[in-house]
Amino acid sequence: MEPISLSPDTIDALVARLGRWSAGRGPLYLLLAARLRRLIDEGALPPGTRLPPDRRFATALAVGRTTVVAAYDTLRQEGRLVRRQGSGTRVARAALAPERPRVTETSNPLFLHLLEAPDDVILLSCAAPSQPPPELAEAYRSLVLPDADLGYHPAGLGALRAAVAARYAARGVPTGPERILVTTGAQQGLSLLTRLLLAPGDGVLVEAPTYPGALDLFREAAAVPLPVAVGPDGVDVADAVRVMERHRPALAYVVPRFQNPTGTVLPPLAGRRLVEAANALGVPLVDDEVLADLAFTPGEGEPSLSSYGEVIAVGSLSKVVWGGLRIGWVRGPAPLIARLARLKALHDLGSDLPSQLAATRLLDDFAPVLAARTAAVRAGHDHLRAELARRLPSWSCAPATGGQTLWVRLPHGDGVSFAQLALRHGVGVLPGATTDALGGSLRHLRLHFLAPPEVLTEAVRRLAAAWTEYAPDPEAERASLHAIVV
């Protein structure tokens, strides 16, 4: 297990790795001790690691100080921790289990919430449709598997590559199948691009805040994030150009339409300026288009950055159709796509063929599927905002014009500690700090509105109950809490 990077003043990485520690049964101090014990035994907290001070840790976890003290004392009695006046609490030298091979793994609550059983927790953290459309089931029922075909298509099924290419051409972006790589979801597309284009120490321009799954990938590659702030109209393009001119990053990653997590839309002139600057400076520009189709008003958020110049686009069907349909793609120059296909072949020899056949069938008549999904997300957006206004009027969030999440600002406190308390009330939310490589967005939460209305209503009721109980430590609130190091 990858060791957690901790300093006396940086505890968000530990809080994130703890995951849903308080969702089990029993006293909180025993649940906390159990999760810390596991991290120690698996090597995520190596011998000598200094753990956070009692009060700071309690504030971050939204628990009483006595809970942390009791958990620490339990582990001290087991010989896993050493507590000394003046030197704090450290992992004991003999506490580490036999050495195991190190692996890189996520500490992101976005994924940890999926990896652990729900336990009656409403997950507003990971956003994807909870119900596949009837057209998907029909596509699977009617598919015909090919004859005389090994089923290995590292670059993707030819018919699906052509169908995706045709969608770009219909939007005025000429594209042939040779410019499309089919991937197992957009996350794999981003992963392949990261592996191909980034080396340890390379700079990567990212928005702040941005999609935390991308930050995880860049962290795995040991790249250096070069964050640029996002405002009401998307990323600050003037600052992004200055960063590219000064640092010449190996990659620039942006979400220009219905930005994840803020929901902003980059104006066309700003998008053109960003593409032209990246092309002139030789910086590969990755446009995450996963949410681009989810406009509440048809045509909102267009045109694509790819219409302004050379851009690497990453797309997916997971947000419009269903998260379980693991079909994504990368659009880019043919030589790049060929290299990515060779890299993909090294890992999986090609994405699931029946899913590709079903996706091809869906794209033959995609308009009804898209219309139904956008109508559903708009209704969910309106319902969630109404419930928040009714039960949590002190929270603020701007209305979105598309996408699937609201970017909520808390009136006080911080999202990391409140998310811990919300979990104990049965709601999983994504703290803003996990999305922001600048170390900002501390008072923000990302909430999706894809659940049925009755589920969203119950989720807000639970959030309101948690907020009534939430009382942040004023001293800790004034302190500088840092985002997860990426």
Side-chain angles (χ1 to χ4, degrees), residues 92-357:
R93 293 293 173 184
L96 188 62
E99 187 173 353
R100 306 178 185 184
R102 285 180 53 188
V103 295
T104 302
E105 57 188 51
T106 183
S107 60
N108 194 324
L110 181 73
F111 299 131
L112 294 181
H113 288 176
L114 295 177
L115 289 166
E116 301 183 8
D119 291 335
D120 193 36
V121 172
I122 299 173
L123 295 181
L124 297 188
S125 47
C126 188
S130 59
Q131 184 70 32
E135 290 89 346
L136 179 59
E138 178 57 33
Y140 274 106
R141 278 193 296 267
S142 62
L143 67 81
V144 178
L145 296 177
D147 292 325
D149 188 329
L150 290 175
Y152 297 138
H153 297 269
L157 188 67
L160 180 54
R161 298 175 76 191
V164 174
R167 295 194 71 220
Y168 283 97
R171 300 206 307 258
V173 182
T175 305
E178 74 283 354
R179 300 195 66 173
I180 300 294
L181 172 79
V182 176
T183 60
T184 305
Q187 187 72 16
Q188 188 189 54
L190 290 173
S191 176
L192 293 171
L193 287 166
T194 299
R195 287 176 177 268
L196 187 66
L197 299 179
L198 292 179
D202 281 347
V204 53
L205 186 151
V206 296
E207 297 165 316
T210 190
Y211 167 53
L215 294 181
D216 270 1
L217 291 171
F218 303 148
R219 173 174 174 263
E220 180 190 31
V224 178
L226 304 171
V228 177
V230 171
D233 293 320
V235 66
D236 185 336
V237 171
D239 192 27
V241 172
R242 286 192 290 269
V243 168
M244 288 191 290
E245 289 174 340
R246 184 179 304 117
H247 298 282
R248 299 297 173 95
L251 183 71
Y253 169 76
V254 295
V255 189
R257 290 177 305 290
F258 315 125
Q259 200 263 354
N260 185 357
T262 65
T264 58
V265 177
L266 190 66
L269 289 179
R272 181 184 294 276
R273 170 66 176 134
L274 180 66
V275 174
E276 290 176 347
N279 288 176
L281 295 168
V283 176
L285 178 62
V286 175
D287 176 2
D288 187 332
E289 298 182 326
V290 169
L291 302 174
D293 285 330
L294 294 178
F296 297 161
T297 302
E300 185 77 29
E302 294 290 344
S304 166
L305 289 189
S306 297
S307 63
Y308 301 133
E310 195 60 76
V311 173
I312 304 168
V314 178
S316 171
L317 293 179
S318 66
K319 307 306 182 185
V320 175
V321 182
W322 184 44
L325 182 64
R326 305 304 302 144
I327 295 296
W329 57 82
V330 178
R331 178 198 177 273
L336 173 69
I337 295 301
R339 294 176 64 198
L340 288 171
R342 291 193 292 270
L343 179 59
K344 179 174 167 59
L346 181 67
H347 292 279
D348 65 9
L349 296 180
S351 299
D352 177 69
L353 188 57
S355 295
Q356 293 187 67
L357 291 167

Side-chain angles (χ1 to χ4, degrees), residues 431-456:
T434 67
T435 71
D436 199 324
L438 273 176
S441 304
L442 298 178
R443 284 190 178 175
H444 284 84
L445 303 173
R446 195 196 75 173
L447 310 177
H448 81 70
F449 41 77
L450 302 181
E454 63 275 12
V455 176
L456 292 176

Side-chain angles (χ1 to χ4, degrees), residues 5 59 74 76 82-83 134 152 225 243 246 267 269 327 387 422:
S5 176
T59 298
T74 298
R76 179 187 59 79
V82 175
R83 286 167 65 78
Y152 297 138
V243 168
R246 184 179 304 117
L269 289 179
I327 295 296
E387 288 296 304

